[in-house]
Amino acid sequence: VYESHRHVEVLVKECKWHFLTDIAADDLRTWLKQRKKSGASVSTLNHYIRSVKSFCYWLVKEKLLSESPVHHIQLQDSKLDVRYKRRALTKAELIHLLAVTKAGKPSHGMTGMERYLFYKFQGTTGIPRSEIWGAYFGLILISRRVPRP
């Protein structure tokens, strides 16, 4: 949800959509072409398309728009633009990553030890980062509750 929200915020700002009625497929197409020319991957652009379409479908559902102005925008074929071949780390690579991270400086709002624990958990369970973050933030919210006697 956080990423979708961020994607919509970027589009609202860069497409200069000040009102819901400003949301237009032509603006989105222009923005996508500009981003593609500047090197954005098809996969990244598809994330933005999904986010804005979901947002517009929600607006229709809530009766804030009569129809989605971007419903006919199609996702692009990401198989034609593979930037990285995804693979699991080898055991040696994971051990090296953990050692370097544990001794590392703070990054992404976490200490080296926090990132070490995060990577170790992800590397040993195979759970995707986004799912771990969802559980992580859920745990924080739960821990903020005041226990009842």
Side-chain angles (χ1 to χ4, degrees), residues 65-81:
L65 286 177
S66 59
E67 64 179 358
S68 171
V70 296
H71 74 278
H72 58 281
I73 301 289
Q74 299 293 316
L75 295 177
Q76 300 174 25
D77 188 356
S78 59
K79 292 177 185 172
L80 300 176
D81 183 36

Side-chain angles (χ1 to χ4, degrees), residues 11-119:
L11 289 168
V12 165
K13 181 180 177 185
E14 294 184 9
C15 292
K16 297 180 174 77
W17 295 334
H18 301 288
F19 302 99
L20 295 178
T21 54
D22 292 341
I23 300 171
D26 286 341
D27 294 339
L28 179 58
R29 277 193 211 94
T30 301
W31 185 88
L32 291 167
K33 285 178 189 173
Q34 290 169 345
R35 278 295 177 107
K36 192 168 188 175
K37 282 183 184 177
S38 67
S41 71
V42 169
S43 179
T44 297
L45 298 177
N46 283 343
H47 288 301
Y48 280 90
I49 294 169
R50 281 188 201 95
S51 295
V52 73
K53 287 177 90 167
S54 294
F55 177 63
C56 288
Y57 290 140
W58 176 81
L59 292 171
V60 171
K61 182 180 169 194
E62 294 297 315
K63 298 185 181 353
L64 296 169
L65 286 177
S66 59
E67 64 179 358
S68 171
V70 296
H71 74 278
H72 58 281
I73 301 289
Q74 299 293 316
L75 295 177
Q76 300 174 25
D77 188 356
S78 59
K79 292 177 185 172
L80 300 176
D81 183 36
V82 177
R83 305 280 174 109
Y84 303 100
K85 185 176 179 185
R86 310 263 181 209
R87 64 174 181 83
L89 295 176
T90 65
K91 186 175 180 179
E93 289 170 330
L94 180 59
I95 290 169
H96 177 71
L97 172 67
L98 293 174
V100 170
T101 303
K102 192 174 192 179
K105 296 178 181 179
S107 178
H108 297 83
M110 293 186 287
T111 66
M113 178 55 85
E114 289 169 332
R115 286 185 301 117
Y116 163 81
L117 292 170
F118 181 83
Y119 293 153

